[in-house]
Amino acid sequence: MPDKTFSILYSFRFEDGRTKEFTIELDAQTLNLVRRNEPSPREWTRLQYAKCENCQLSPDHEHCPVALNLVEVIEFFSDAHSFEPAQVSVATEERGYTKKTTVQKGLSSMMGIMMPASGCPTLDKLRPMVRFHLPFSSPLETFYRSISMYLTAQFFRMKAEKSADWSLDDHLHVYKDVALVNRGIANRLTVASKADANLNAIVILHSIGDGIQYFIETELEELRNLFKAYVEE
Amino acid sequence: MESKILVVDDEEIFRLTTSLRLKEAGFSVDTASEGYEGLVKLDQGTYDVVLLDINMPGLNGLQVLEYVSANHPDVDAIVLTGFSQMTMAIECLKKGAKEFIVKPFDYADLIAKIQGLLRTRNSERSFKEYQQSWRSTLVYDIFGSLYTVSCILEHLRINAPIGHPNDTQELLSYARTLNERVFERIQHSVNLPELAETHVPMELSAVDLRAILNTICERFDQWAGDKSVTIKRDFASNIPTVMTDLARIEQVFSLIFDSALKHTTGKETIEVRLHAVPKTEQRTAGVECSLSFPGKLLEPQLGSLIFSPSLDQWKEHKESVDFVALSLAISRRILEANDGALSLQVQGSSTTIACWLPEKAPAQSGVLRSPSRAVGA
């Protein structure tokens, strides 16, 4: 067991009064998802079942780590409709958030932590955002956080005397690879899920990746004024 | 012009990203966050394609699709679905969706599907325009000319000098037979209910109807003389000018004169009247030309086919539509395109065909006009 962990608690309260909590425990150093219980493998979690076309894991891995970590969530929400209302509360060490939203948005937010923290080599590149998780973030907030993460990564590469991409050109390649993983996970959901909440949660994450390019090319410029103090110095 | 897409989906980030990608591909894009908003936008705007999420709060995608199919059949629908909704997707295809695409998808696939649908629409539209254009040419340009040729051939045949070589007679007879075969082809290809929707190409100019009728009467005097029929003229002196297409109105008068002549025999009279008609409650001031002659022009069931043909009536009686009926239907269409009217009255054993044109047509000279509804007998 890791020495230090931190938790993010997701609580769903549905219109019929039911509640459900998910505690996401993360290693403070590596941000790996910490599993307290034995994993519950299924047919659809096997690595070779609907394997992502860009999977970098060796065949030694019997199960897809992302799918394995999502089993409890997927099966709980298997019959949930995407637009079903829910009050979702998120508690971190720093603060709490509560929002009346839809199941798909709450799920998407939660999966946004669990998937990059699962040990998928492709999704590892999104893991820094897990540390600074912002539940229910708007598209603009997500895009800004993503770009900030990427530029911070380039800073560390520069410090390590490696080539650094300050133009954000290669940022898009990260999300192209992520898109293939999203599709792979979506394919596993065909057997794992009856209704559409789980799938739409993946679609939301997928849409974020698709929107990054256009955010960089269009909306990012609209933020220029906020950085006047740096640009005009 | 940019093709216009409406994206109906309850997820904001999906709408935003889809909108951005489609705009980048050259489309004009609107979005709606739920089904009812989608219906409002469809009613208020003009869209080529609608992208429809199946599962939405309120009206779901299937309900929106049913509305689109019933009220906006010219809008193509692409349904967005997840794997677990394939049964629903198939249901949507049965209810009129043109395509479905499974989320999450590659936007290149979506754009390819949209472009495919638009190409098909453009091809269908071009074909329909071509079909309508050809139909108009056939009915309004070719039919009338061939009819006149037929009358000339008949006149030549009747008036061939005695002792004229048999081969000339045979040649004329053969030419007339060929002409009649072409008539039959045209007759069978003209659907009278559809005739009401055809475009009539017209070039409007100020026309002196009195001069036109005098010319036509002189032409038909010769043919009437062949049958010992008299054409009696009663033209008022104060005939106002009308705005019409000279060639088309000549065509109308020629067809009507010929129909009248076909049903008139020796020593009978065709009375031609031309007079100004003052304004009434139903009509503006205009000019009316009428032909009265003894004889029954049409079988009763054909009258309704000429003036208000339903598809069922057409299917029931189309085999009995003859050249006279077709001529009158075409004449009526041409007059209506000019905001005029054709009427047919049978009193006892006498028939009167009347053509009415407004004194001042609303369109400017040289502008092609769209058709108006019938004012029947």
Side-chain angles (χ1 to χ4, degrees):
Chain A
M1 272 308 153
D3 290 336
K4 194 158 186 238
T5 64
F6 70 97
S7 298
I8 300 174
L9 176 67
Y10 265 79
S11 301
F12 288 78
R13 177 182 289 277
F14 302 99
E15 275 197 326
D16 60 5
R18 285 179 306 133
T19 57
K20 176 68 179 175
E21 287 185 353
F22 296 92
T23 302
I24 303 163
E25 196 170 352
L26 299 161
D27 181 288
Q29 288 297 312
T30 63
L31 297 180
N32 274 337
L33 205 65
V34 175
R35 237 189 265 122
R36 293 286 176 195
N37 303 320
E38 281 301 307
S40 310
R42 301 285 186 264
E43 177 61 23
W44 58 268
T45 64
R46 286 190 310 105
L47 185 68
Q48 298 305 322
Y49 181 94
K51 187 175 167 183
C52 301
E53 58 182 269
N54 61 340
C55 183
Q56 298 175 54
L57 291 173
S58 68
D60 299 342
H61 289 78
E62 194 183 346
H63 291 275
C64 166
V66 176
L68 210 53
N69 280 333
L70 289 178
V71 168
E72 188 193 349
V73 170
I74 297 295
E75 289 187 346
F76 180 82
F77 287 103
S78 174
D79 292 319
H81 290 289
S82 54
F83 55 84
E84 195 177 322
Q87 180 162 296
V88 183
S89 299
V90 183
T92 66
E93 285 183 7
E94 290 86 8
R95 60 193 66 84
Y97 308 82
T98 295
K99 186 168 178 157
K100 277 188 183 166
T101 183
T102 57
V103 166
Q104 66 182 353
K105 283 215 169 97
L107 256 181
S108 173
S109 187
M110 193 166 66
M111 284 181 182
I113 311 169
M114 298 176 74
M115 289 171 68
S118 293
C120 167
T122 303
L123 297 185
D124 274 347
K125 289 195 173 165
L126 302 183
R127 196 180 283 208
M129 289 172 69
V130 170
R131 177 61 184 85
F132 304 99
H133 178 57
L134 182 63
F136 323 121
S137 56
S138 68
L140 185 61
E141 285 169 338
T142 305
F143 294 145
Y144 184 73
R145 288 173 58 239
S146 174
I147 289 169
S148 300
M149 172 201 71
Y150 183 78
L151 292 174
T152 306
Q154 303 313 304
F155 173 78
F156 287 121
R157 283 184 63 85
M158 181 194 73
K159 295 279 277 183
E161 295 181 2
K162 292 184 178 177
S163 63
D165 169 37
W166 299 112
S167 63
L168 298 174
D169 285 345
D170 288 341
H171 192 39
L172 303 176
H173 292 303
V174 172
Y175 279 96
K176 279 192 172 120
D177 290 335
V178 168
L180 293 173
V181 174
N182 287 334
R183 267 195 224 121
I185 298 298
N187 288 341
R188 293 177 189 274
L189 296 182
T190 61
V191 294
S193 208
K194 296 192 197 98
D196 69 333
N198 287 316
L199 178 68
N200 266 18
I202 301 290
V203 169
I204 290 171
L205 296 173
H206 186 76
S207 297
I208 290 168
D210 271 330
I212 286 277
Q213 175 188 352
Y214 295 94
F215 173 75
I216 292 170
E217 288 173 2
T218 57
E219 294 191 39
L220 184 59
E221 186 57 34
E222 292 176 25
L223 299 180
R224 179 184 281 267
N225 268 345
L226 302 178
F227 296 85
K228 238 171 152 178
Y230 291 94
V231 173
E232 292 177 5
E233 200 173 48
Chain B
M1 192 160 52
E2 281 176 335
S3 299
K4 211 166 168 194
I5 317 282
L6 176 65
V7 181
V8 185
D9 193 291
D10 59 318
E11 177 46 47
E12 181 196 1
I13 182 73
F14 178 81
R15 288 196 307 275
L16 173 68
T17 309
T18 303
S19 178
L20 288 171
R21 292 297 288 257
L22 292 180
K23 281 177 183 172
E24 203 259 348
F27 300 110
S28 167
V29 184
D30 268 345
T31 61
S33 60
E34 44 97 23
Y36 183 74
E37 186 189 348
L39 300 192
V40 170
K41 290 205 169 178
L42 279 163
D43 285 345
Q44 291 175 347
T46 307
Y47 297 96
D48 296 290
V49 177
V50 59
L51 302 183
L52 213 40
D53 187 21
I54 286 184
N55 236 8
M56 291 185 288
L59 288 178
N60 65 31
L62 187 60
Q63 291 169 309
V64 175
L65 179 63
E66 284 171 345
Y67 184 85
V68 170
S69 298
N71 297 283
H72 299 280
D74 49 342
V75 178
D76 289 335
I78 298 178
V79 163
L80 311 170
T81 179
F83 272 114
S84 60
Q85 298 168 304
M86 286 299 280
T87 310
M88 176 69 96
I90 292 166
E91 187 65 24
C92 287
L93 290 176
K94 287 181 187 172
K95 289 205 184 284
K98 287 284 165 61
E99 286 273 7
F100 70 86
I101 190 163
V102 180
K103 294 180 182 179
F105 49 77
D106 189 324
Y107 277 99
D109 289 341
L110 175 64
I111 289 165
K113 281 187 192 285
I114 292 172
Q115 287 171 338
L117 284 180
L118 292 172
R119 269 195 302 274
T120 303
R121 275 161 64 97
N122 287 340
S123 298
E124 284 172 356
R125 193 177 295 142
S126 298
F127 176 71
K128 206 171 173 186
E129 283 169 2
Y130 171 77
Q131 217 178 18
Q132 285 174 348
S133 170
W134 165 242
R135 199 174 284 146
S136 290
T137 301
L138 191 66
V139 168
Y140 301 116
D141 293 328
I142 295 176
F143 179 83
S145 304
L146 280 178
Y147 205 47
T148 304
V149 166
S150 179
C151 296
I152 293 170
L153 286 171
E154 180 64 7
H155 175 72
L156 287 174
R157 191 186 66 79
I158 291 170
N159 292 285
I162 295 170
H164 206 275
N166 279 345
D167 52 357
T168 305
Q169 286 272 356
E170 279 175 21
L171 207 62
L172 287 170
S173 202
Y174 181 58
R176 195 148 189 270
T177 303
L178 285 178
N179 220 35
E180 277 169 11
R181 279 190 208 154
V182 175
F183 275 137
E184 269 178 49
R185 291 277 190 271
I186 294 174
Q187 179 187 340
H188 290 138
S189 70
V190 176
N191 176 324
L192 287 190
E194 281 179 4
L195 188 66
E197 306 301 322
T198 56
H199 170 67
V200 184
M202 297 186 87
E203 285 183 28
L204 303 181
S205 59
V207 169
D208 177 358
L209 284 181
R210 197 188 159 97
I212 300 289
L213 267 177
N214 270 324
T215 305
I216 290 176
C217 284
E218 279 167 18
R219 187 194 313 150
F220 275 85
D221 274 340
Q222 290 187 338
W223 298 343
D226 294 343
K227 297 176 79 175
S228 305
V229 169
T230 307
I231 298 180
K232 181 179 166 193
R233 298 148 172 73
D234 176 9
F235 296 169
S237 53
N238 58 335
I239 302 297
T241 304
V242 297
M243 292 292 287
T244 185
D245 182 310
L246 178 64
R248 294 276 176 244
I249 210 64
E250 268 189 313
Q251 184 182 358
V252 167
F253 288 151
S254 296
L255 289 174
I256 290 172
F257 265 75
D258 190 74
S259 299
L261 198 56
K262 268 184 159 44
H263 285 76
T264 320
T265 54
K267 300 203 167 74
E268 288 174 337
T269 301
I270 298 174
E271 294 185 12
V272 184
R273 291 190 65 222
L274 181 68
H275 61 279
V277 179
K279 184 181 168 185
T280 64
E281 270 187 26
Q282 289 83 32
R283 282 179 181 172
T284 60
V287 178
E288 184 175 274
C289 166
S290 63
L291 270 74
S292 299
F293 52 92
K296 191 173 67 170
L297 196 62
L298 292 175
E299 295 304 317
Q301 70 272 19
L302 291 181
S304 59
L305 270 189
I306 291 167
F307 289 102
S308 53
S310 70
L311 198 54
D312 289 337
Q313 281 176 311
W314 162 250
K315 283 179 183 170
E316 193 184 337
H317 295 296
K318 68 176 183 179
E319 294 305 322
S320 55
V321 170
D322 58 9
F323 297 130
V324 170
L326 191 54
S327 302
L328 290 176
I330 291 170
S331 301
R332 175 193 159 226
R333 187 72 195 90
I334 291 172
L335 289 167
E336 284 176 3
N338 212 160
D339 286 338
L342 179 84
S343 65
L344 179 68
Q345 282 180 337
V346 179
Q347 280 175 324
S349 58
S350 181
T351 301
T352 299
I353 307 172
C355 306
W356 178 86
L357 283 167
E359 187 178 305
K360 284 173 188 171
Q364 296 166 359
S365 176
V367 172
L368 296 180
R369 307 244 320 280
S370 55
S372 58
R373 296 310 302 165
V375 175

